[in-house]
Amino acid sequence: MAETIRVLHVLGGVGLGGAESRIMDLYRQMDRSEIQFDFLVHRNSKKTEFYEEEIRKLGGHIYVLPRFRVYNYLAYRRAVRDFFRQHHEFRVVQGHMTSTAGIYLPVARKSGVPVTVAHSRNAGVVKGPKGIATKFFRRKLAEKADHCFACSVLAGEDVFGKAAVEAGRVKIIHNAIDAGRFTYNAQKRAETRERLGLGEQLVLGHVGRFDYQKNHPYLIDIFAQLCRIREDAVLLLLGEGADQDRIREKCRELEIEERVRFLGNQKRPEDYYQAMDIFVLPSFFEGLPGVLVEAQAAGLKCFVSDTVTREAKATDLVTYLSIEQPAKVWAERIVAAAGYERQDTYQTMKDAGFDVKTQAAGYRLFYQKGDSSRL
């Protein structure tokens, strides 16, 4: 019997984030007697993260490195070297944390890992010193990995550079989901709305961590304007993050706190998509947002900032608007679109390449033989 191939995914953590969710969707599709995933995460606390229990049940290991803070560059590099000196079991190291991939991937390669991958999952950085440092450490990353993957052309250009993308050095692999989980289900919609006490209200929804990228302040401005038009409007917010308290305070200041529900991280987000009527994503930047793919899979009308890549648009349900416009413009467009009929979009999502069951076959070939032609 052939030895199990072990693939090491390098991430900031294994919490409920976009990259983490997409990797877990893929992990569940693997024959784990043939291919097993392990995870190398970066954190200083011992707090258990969202996917840890499931990873261990699936047979994966979770290893921990200290967070990279720039000033601890030498200590971080030593920790990476020590890790790969102790672990020689990985056939593939796939780095989704591209801010430090220029450090850990060359070390992994030098330590004898046969295949190294830098995987870009985003198309922008936060403002300030952290963003500047990220760009600095990503320099020439395309030359430091055996393979370069990106979830969109924009994400590829942002991390690896336009020249690398145009030269065919970067493989574009759209973020795929378990589309069948999210397919519109009228019964599930009714059950979830009843459980949440939503009745016949107009329900807007957003899924994402509370930080700068997701632009929650503008989302709240949109909803406040919408509340002036529709007295029955409700906003569901799924996710957690450092900016959550600030957004709660903004809701109180605008006197809409009773109409905004902070639901935290949910193990079954698909149920909440069913309950929504409109999905809103006014992000400053994205790579290829899995939540937008999920919303379309659920048959939802989606209103999205025009900074989000068009590659995420698999259906006619997506409307792009500028976040430079007054929030009132978004509110009016949302209200005008609210009376549509939900449809089953599963086949459309599958045909567009967004179903993970199809993508998993390509990844199996890549992990086994290094052949990325089916990805």
Side-chain angles (χ1 to χ4, degrees):
M1 183 176 177
E3 186 177 350
T4 301
I5 293 168
R6 300 201 79 90
V7 179
L8 182 69
H9 291 276
V10 186
L11 292 153
V14 287
L16 188 59
E20 296 87 344
S21 295
R22 301 292 74 81
I23 294 165
M24 292 303 295
D25 283 340
L26 184 64
Y27 191 12
R28 298 179 191 112
Q29 300 301 318
M30 292 292 127
D31 180 342
R32 290 178 292 280
S33 67
E34 296 180 356
I35 298 170
Q36 180 58 253
F37 286 3
D38 295 317
F39 297 80
L40 182 60
V41 301
H42 296 67
R43 66 186 184 210
N44 296 326
S45 73
K46 295 183 179 180
K47 182 180 178 181
T48 300
E49 294 186 294
F50 190 85
Y51 285 119
E52 283 197 34
E53 182 180 355
E54 183 179 3
I55 288 169
R56 292 196 169 97
K57 283 183 177 178
L58 292 174
H61 301 135
I62 300 171
Y63 305 100
V64 180
L65 285 178
R67 287 184 182 274
F68 179 69
R69 301 293 193 187
V70 180
Y71 62 80
N72 68 342
Y73 172 82
L74 293 177
Y76 177 78
R77 189 177 177 85
R78 280 196 301 271
V80 171
R81 284 176 173 170
D82 289 344
F83 175 80
F84 283 107
R85 281 173 184 157
Q86 296 170 27
H87 294 276
H88 301 280
E89 65 268 35
F90 306 115
R91 174 178 169 76
V92 181
V93 173
Q94 190 165 348
H96 309 272
M97 187 176 174
T98 58
S99 56
T100 57
I103 302 172
Y104 61 76
L105 288 182
V107 172
R109 181 192 279 174
K110 191 174 181 179
S111 300
V113 174
V115 181
T116 60
V117 183
H119 198 147
S120 172
R121 297 268 185 183
N122 219 331
V125 297
V126 296
K127 294 180 178 180
K130 184 177 180 180
I132 294 170
T134 295
K135 289 183 177 181
F136 176 81
F137 284 103
R138 281 177 177 169
R139 292 174 308 153
K140 298 184 179 181
L141 182 55
E143 301 172 12
K144 298 175 182 179
D146 298 312
H147 298 268
C148 300
F149 293 168
C151 62
S152 68
V153 171
L154 200 62
E157 291 178 347
D158 184 74
V159 171
F160 303 113
K162 192 171 183 179
V165 174
E166 291 179 346
R169 182 75 179 82
V170 181
K171 182 80 174 182
I172 306 302
I173 307 169
H174 293 158
N175 290 335
I177 66 169
D178 185 355
R181 281 180 56 196
F182 294 87
T183 302
Y184 176 59
N185 183 307
Q187 180 178 344
K188 179 60 66 176
R189 171 181 167 82
E191 290 173 354
T192 306
R193 287 177 73 100
E194 181 178 5
R195 175 167 59 83
L196 296 174
L198 295 172
E200 298 300 317
Q201 292 172 286
L202 174 62
V203 180
L204 274 65
H206 173 87
V207 181
R209 67 188 180 281
F210 286 82
D211 72 4
Y212 167 80
Q213 176 186 343
K214 303 300 180 181
N215 200 11
H216 282 87
Y218 187 70
L219 172 60
I220 297 304
D221 287 338
I222 293 169
F223 184 66
Q225 290 292 328
L226 193 143
C227 286
R228 297 180 179 182
I229 306 170
R230 290 283 297 259
E231 294 183 356
D232 63 339
V234 175
L235 175 62
L236 306 183
L237 297 176
L238 275 69
E240 298 177 353
D243 289 349
Q244 185 170 344
D245 288 343
R246 184 164 64 93
I247 298 306
R248 285 182 182 274
E249 180 58 33
K250 184 177 177 72
C251 291
R252 285 190 287 269
E253 290 173 357
L254 294 173
E255 299 181 350
I256 58 171
E257 69 271 24
E258 297 299 322
R259 299 168 72 170
V260 181
R261 301 196 188 181
F262 293 80
L263 300 175
N265 292 333
Q266 296 292 331
K267 290 186 176 181
R268 291 184 55 84
E270 59 269 30
D271 293 349
Y272 294 85
Y273 283 107
Q274 300 298 327
M276 299 173 191
D277 296 304
I278 302 286
F279 184 77
V280 189
L281 187 71
S283 302
F284 284 114
F285 57 86
E286 294 280 355
L288 192 149
V291 292
L292 180 55
V293 178
E294 291 171 351
Q296 291 175 86
L300 282 169
K301 284 269 189 182
C302 305
F303 287 83
V304 184
S305 62
D306 59 8
T307 55
V308 173
T309 176
R310 288 347 189 233
E311 291 163 82
K313 185 179 187 295
T315 68
D316 293 331
L317 294 167
V318 180
T319 298
Y320 290 93
L321 295 173
S322 172
I323 54 177
E324 300 299 322
Q325 295 184 101
K328 183 179 179 182
V329 173
W330 283 62
E332 291 173 344
R333 291 289 298 274
I334 289 169
V335 169
Y340 70 102
E341 184 178 350
R342 292 275 281 274
Q343 301 290 332
D344 182 332
T345 60
Y346 175 75
Q347 193 60 47
T348 301
M349 302 305 293
K350 183 178 179 180
D351 292 345
F354 287 110
D355 185 49
V356 74
K357 290 182 174 65
T358 303
Q359 193 177 92
Y363 266 110
R364 282 194 291 271
L365 183 63
F366 175 70
Y367 293 142
Q368 290 168 340
K369 300 182 179 181
D371 182 356
S372 64
S373 62
R374 290 181 59 188
L375 287 172

